[in-house]
Amino acid sequence: MDQLKQLFGEKSEIVRTQLRDLVKEKGKVEVDKVYLEQIYGGMRGVKSMIWETSSLDPIQGITFRGYSIPALQEKLPKINGSTEPMPEGLFWLMLVGEIPTDEQVQWLSDEWERRSKIDEHTFKMLDSLPADTHPMTQFSMGVLSLQRESVFARRYFEGMGKSEFWDASYEDAMNLIAKLPQLAAYIYRRTFFKGDHIAPDHTLDWGANFAHMLGNDTQDFYDFIRLYLTIHADHEGGNASAHATHLVGSTLSDAYMSFTGGMTALAGPLHGLANQEVIKWVFEMLESLGKDDPSKEEITDFVNRTLDEGKVIPGYGHAVLREPDPRFIAQKRFAEKHLRESGIVQVVWKLFDVVPPILQSLGKVKNPWPNVDAHSGAILVHYGMKEFTFYTVLFGVSRALGVLSALCWSRALGFPLERPKSITSQWLFNFADQKQV
Ligand code: HAX
């Protein structure tokens, strides 16, 4: 058994026993109330699931096992003089709750490299799709095409018992994560570069190899992709891609099936697709204004026009956060360090000044601040990746780290089939009739 799997097995066994005892002893403790407006309003704030790998505070933002993004940047191992953390280190941290050593991270990087080979049938399937098939559709189909290799599905078919679920899920998570960069890069190059593919460089770490296969071999781009893959990985369990993965996984669908569910959720414009929508909207603004360096007044007019047309401002607002997203700030810091002069980045910074007061003035937007998706596109464009319909795939590769480590935990803790109760509107009207506010 490999070192990470052994550690995960030991740690999760302890938590499983603690949780079992807790539920036995205090199972009837009331945790929270649920209000009618929460049932009607997308279940905001309803505490209803366990998610070990990260936690979201409306003001402080995301922490991964207690570490904020700046803390991760400081403490996670880095490679070859890089200033950004290796996403491999975050996966280790999320899975077992410990900051790994340089040796442990190197082992994990090598392990993913060892598991990274993709069978030819996946490439043939992708090549059979029209090139204008959305990259997120290709990505989801690519992941599903790998499912025939699922260790969990095979062992379940062979009669595996419950106590082995976490072991098989770990194998699937490791195999799938290992393959995602090449799968994603293949989709990018077939869709936008007429199939001019770049072979993996087996000497590079997971993030840098992905950057290499996308087609940019500068150290700055390697660093940006390492940072990007780290900060997009997890955002506690209630967001749509995490929750969808969790829900599908609770039926004992394997990691490939579950992750595909998460990716089709990520592909919505109110969630991960917002990263493509932001830059598309910025390009539309520049075209409409006929210039690359609009003034704040011109930007204000365009923002108001967008709102007047009944549309949202992409990249702004959040269901949980109530301050600027620390993932936005991390990207802004990166841009301040590496690409302060970039024209498109300057536009994003002007939006940061202009948009929040306008959204605030509407009086209904709970969070007028930028979210994770407001900044990434400008940096990618600066590095030559203008093909914005691909951006959500980058997000998806990163999100795999969080949702698949969480899936391992769900199987290790023996979580049951998720099955909340729905009610009809008529039930709600009748119920509300009998209650006083
Ligand atoms: N522009 C215009 N109006 C906005 C807005 C924005 N950026 N954000 C919220 N609002 C509006 C809502 O549409 C809603 O209006 P109605 O009452 O007329 O329906 C009102 O303000 C209240 O919404 P809220 O409670 O503040 O926000 P929600 O929790 O309902 O929604 C969203 C959160 C992220 C979906 C929302 O802020 C939004 O649509 N933002 C733009 C799209 C976006 O950037 N999505 C990415 C979010 C981060 C993420 O998941 N990335 O993957």
Side-chain angles (χ1 to χ4, degrees):
M1 186 180 289
D2 74 53
Q3 50 176 318
L4 181 57
K5 191 182 194 178
Q6 173 133 12
L7 197 53
F8 174 59
E10 290 162 9
K11 298 241 171 193
S12 57
E13 174 61 23
I14 295 170
V15 180
R16 197 173 68 83
T17 310
Q18 288 170 336
L19 270 183
R20 198 186 46 210
D21 292 349
L22 183 73
V23 173
K24 211 162 145 192
E25 211 185 305
K26 303 207 165 157
K28 297 291 180 213
V29 167
E30 187 181 279
V31 177
D32 219 345
K33 289 188 165 54
V34 178
Y35 295 97
L36 190 150
E37 64 183 9
Q38 291 175 294
I39 300 175
Y40 181 66
M43 296 187 278
R44 297 286 184 283
V46 176
K47 295 186 184 68
S48 56
M49 63 196 291
I50 304 276
W51 196 262
E52 304 289 2
T53 47
S54 69
S55 174
L56 186 60
D57 179 84
I59 308 299
Q60 303 300 327
I62 189 70
T63 49
F64 303 85
R65 297 281 189 179
Y67 293 93
S68 66
I69 287 174
L72 291 183
Q73 286 175 299
E74 190 200 322
K75 292 192 185 310
L76 284 181
K78 304 176 185 72
I79 196 166
N80 295 340
S82 164
T83 51
E84 300 302 338
M86 293 168 76
E88 290 93 324
L90 177 63
F91 180 78
W92 184 290
L93 173 67
M94 287 191 290
L95 196 66
V96 295
E98 292 172 8
I99 297 275
T101 63
D102 290 358
E103 292 70 33
Q104 287 168 328
V105 156
Q106 191 55 55
W107 169 83
L108 183 55
S109 210
D110 293 345
E111 184 65 19
W112 284 351
E113 203 284 308
R114 191 180 69 75
R115 294 171 185 251
S116 65
K117 192 163 170 21
I118 296 178
D119 196 277
E120 252 336 278
H121 77 269
T122 293
F123 299 131
K124 280 191 189 145
M125 184 278 296
L126 290 171
D127 286 338
S128 75
L129 297 173
D132 63 357
T133 308
H134 193 279
M136 277 305 277
T137 310
Q138 298 190 48
F139 188 56
S140 303
M141 292 174 76
V143 171
L144 271 186
S145 80
L146 299 170
Q147 188 273 343
R148 62 185 279 279
E149 299 166 20
S150 169
V151 174
F152 187 98
R154 177 177 52 76
R155 282 169 59 182
Y156 194 88
F157 184 77
E158 290 166 359
M160 155 176 77
K162 276 183 183 175
S163 63
E164 294 173 49
F165 288 176
W166 70 268
D167 182 308
S169 296
Y170 173 89
E171 292 300 329
D172 277 356
M174 292 283 280
N175 288 335
L176 179 51
I177 290 169
K179 294 177 198 333
L180 289 179
Q182 195 183 1
L183 176 69
Y186 193 90
I187 292 166
Y188 181 60
R189 304 289 304 183
R190 81 165 286 268
T191 306
F192 303 107
F193 295 85
K194 299 194 167 73
D196 179 16
H197 295 291
I198 298 169
D201 179 341
H202 301 298
T203 64
L204 292 172
D205 53 292
W206 190 71
N209 193 24
F210 187 22
H212 161 74
M213 288 185 284
L214 291 171
N216 185 333
D217 275 307
T218 62
Q219 290 304 319
D220 281 1
F221 189 62
Y222 284 5
D223 265 352
F224 180 62
I225 291 296
R226 289 185 188 114
L227 175 68
Y228 186 106
L229 295 173
T230 300
I231 64 179
H232 287 74
D234 209 27
H235 217 223
E236 73 166 36
N239 70 80
S241 53
H243 191 195
T245 306
H246 179 77
L247 168 65
V248 178
S250 83
T251 70
L252 298 186
S253 266
D254 58 61
Y256 299 83
M257 298 278 196
S258 308
F259 181 61
T260 304
M263 289 304 95
T264 49
L266 192 72
L270 296 187
H271 191 18
L273 202 81
N275 62 7
Q276 96 164 32
E277 294 301 297
V278 168
I279 208 71
K280 175 170 165 279
W281 176 76
V282 169
F283 282 149
E284 281 165 7
M285 174 172 75
L286 300 183
E287 198 184 324
S288 149
L289 298 173
K291 52 173 73 164
D292 289 339
D293 57 346
S295 67
K296 287 188 184 170
E297 292 68 33
E298 289 168 320
I299 293 178
T300 302
D301 284 348
F302 191 81
V303 169
N304 283 326
R305 238 190 293 158
T306 303
L307 292 170
D308 289 346
E309 286 164 9
K311 299 177 196 164
V312 294
I313 306 301
Y316 281 76
H318 200 271
V320 179
L321 290 171
R322 294 295 175 259
E323 288 285 332
D325 191 331
R327 301 170 298 175
F328 173 89
I329 301 297
Q331 294 175 82
K332 185 162 184 285
R333 298 267 176 277
F334 182 92
E336 282 163 357
K337 194 160 136 199
H338 297 279
L339 29 112
R340 183 171 274 284
E341 304 307 320
S342 160
I344 190 84
V345 165
Q346 306 271 344
V347 173
V348 165
W349 292 353
K350 281 185 195 165
L351 282 164
F352 185 27
D353 290 337
V354 166
V355 174
I358 299 179
L359 290 183
Q360 249 154 0
S361 72
L362 297 180
K364 63 174 182 178
V365 181
K366 295 196 189 69
N367 170 18
W369 300 110
N371 60 53
V372 64
D373 298 314
H375 210 313
S376 52
I379 300 180
L380 290 166
V381 167
H382 174 86
Y383 285 125
M385 279 188 80
K386 298 191 173 70
E387 304 81 7
F388 53 74
T389 58
F390 181 74
Y391 290 176
T392 313
V393 176
L394 289 178
F395 195 154
V397 173
S398 171
R399 189 43 60 102
L401 302 178
V403 300
L404 293 178
S405 49
L407 191 79
C408 292
W409 272 95
S410 298
R411 297 293 72 80
L413 298 178
F415 288 159
L417 177 71
E418 196 174 270
R419 201 342 182 156
K421 174 82 185 126
S422 68
I423 48 177
T424 62
S425 300
Q426 195 55 56
W427 186 97
L428 201 59
F429 290 134
N430 295 345
F431 183 80
D433 255 358
Q434 298 152 24
K435 298 276 170 186
Q436 297 299 320
V437 181

